[in-house]
Amino acid sequence: EAQVTQNPRYLITVTGKKLTVTCSQNMNHEYMSWYRQDPGLGLRQIYYSMNVEVTDKGDVPEGYKVSRKEKRNFPLILESPSPNQTSLYFCASSWRAANEKLFFGSGTQLSVL
Amino acid sequence: QKEVEQNSGPLSVPEGAIASLNCTYSDRGSQSFFWYRQYSGKSPELIMFIYSNGDKEDGRFTAQLNKASQYVSLLIRDSQPSDSATYLCAGGSGGGADGLTFGKGTHLIIQP
């Protein structure tokens, strides 16, 4: 089944404790992206990747890191999480470009205490 | 700053009626438009996309695009209670690298 898989689904952590949210897609998509969704603010892009070893900042990249060492995987890293990073996070992928149909993962609800 | 504007709602529609959802966008370079449906706590699910001016129909759904007015709409015919969700409008530029710009969504309620 074609899908974007995110883990974990829920995560509660404390301020400053490094964490990684994994994202993997099995559709051979070149484009992958991370979004956060907050009430009243909608979906905002954090980082995106056009292909392996090619990543770039989105609209809200501060406090986040990403890597794209393999085509299928695009982990999101929070080196020192803070409470303002409490949010619902979505990984998404598309065939080649951002302006094509995006397929979303099931989401990660992160709470930073 | 690229923006996509939607009325947040809630938009309440009787079961069986036509639900009309609207969206405007600021970037005249936007060339692709998408409608996603999102149930509470779930991920967005693509239901329609449109690239050209005019109407595009798929089952009970019709997307409409007017590039001159920078306006996108989604019509849902024969609305069902299962259509109750938040509908996100998104626009993409022709460049390919920039991410989709999402509206904040319209909360639709179909009343039985």
Side-chain angles (χ1 to χ4, degrees):
Chain A
E1 179 188 355
Q3 60 184 358
V4 179
T5 303
Q6 271 181 252
N7 281 297
R9 181 70 179 91
Y10 300 95
L11 181 57
I12 300 173
T13 189
V14 295
T15 299
K17 186 175 182 181
K18 181 180 178 180
L19 66 91
T20 299
V21 183
T22 63
C23 174
S24 180
Q25 50 91 7
N26 63 0
M27 296 171 279
N28 203 34
H29 284 171
E30 293 185 357
Y31 181 90
M32 297 186 74
S33 180
W34 278 101
Y35 286 85
R36 62 177 288 175
Q37 188 174 36
D38 303 287
L41 296 178
L43 278 165
R44 295 179 292 166
Q45 190 181 48
I46 302 170
Y47 268 95
Y48 64 90
S49 169
M50 295 293 290
N51 213 323
V52 176
E53 302 292 0
V54 180
T55 63
D56 210 343
K57 297 176 180 179
D59 297 320
V60 288
E62 295 78 18
Y64 304 94
K65 285 177 57 177
V66 293
S67 68
R68 187 93 181 271
K69 294 184 171 59
E70 303 166 284
K71 196 171 188 178
R72 64 183 292 127
N73 296 324
F74 190 45
L76 179 69
I77 303 158
L78 284 72
E79 296 261 354
S80 183
S82 62
N84 64 11
Q85 293 178 298
T86 292
S87 186
L88 179 58
Y89 291 86
F90 289 105
C91 180
S93 71
S94 68
W95 182 241
R96 282 183 302 179
N99 59 347
E100 298 177 349
K101 293 174 279 185
L102 273 180
F103 295 86
F104 284 85
S106 54
T108 296
Q109 181 63 59
L110 172 65
S111 295
V112 183
L113 306 178
Chain B
Q1 181 79 7
K2 299 173 187 176
E3 292 184 340
V4 173
E5 300 284 346
Q6 295 180 256
N7 188 320
S8 61
L11 174 65
S12 186
V13 173
E15 183 175 358
I18 296 174
S20 178
L21 303 162
N22 305 312
C23 161
T24 59
Y25 61 95
S26 64
D27 179 20
R28 283 198 172 273
S30 295
Q31 296 188 6
S32 54
F33 301 89
F34 306 86
W35 283 99
Y36 287 85
R37 177 176 62 200
Q38 187 177 25
Y39 295 113
S40 180
K42 302 296 185 182
S43 59
E45 172 194 11
L46 180 69
I47 54 173
M48 288 288 290
F49 62 92
I50 186 166
Y51 298 152
S52 303
N53 271 331
D55 295 0
K56 179 181 178 181
E57 186 175 319
D58 184 1
R60 296 188 297 114
F61 299 97
T62 299
Q64 299 174 317
L65 174 60
N66 184 325
K67 289 188 178 181
S69 301
Q70 295 178 245
Y71 181 87
V72 191
S73 65
L74 178 70
L75 302 177
I76 306 174
R77 289 180 298 281
D78 189 24
S79 297
Q80 303 297 311
S82 59
D83 295 325
S84 298
T86 296
Y87 289 80
L88 306 176
C89 174
S93 67
D98 292 342
L100 295 184
T101 300
F102 283 85
K104 295 176 183 177
T106 297
H107 184 203
L108 175 65
I109 299 171
I110 306 300
Q111 293 183 324

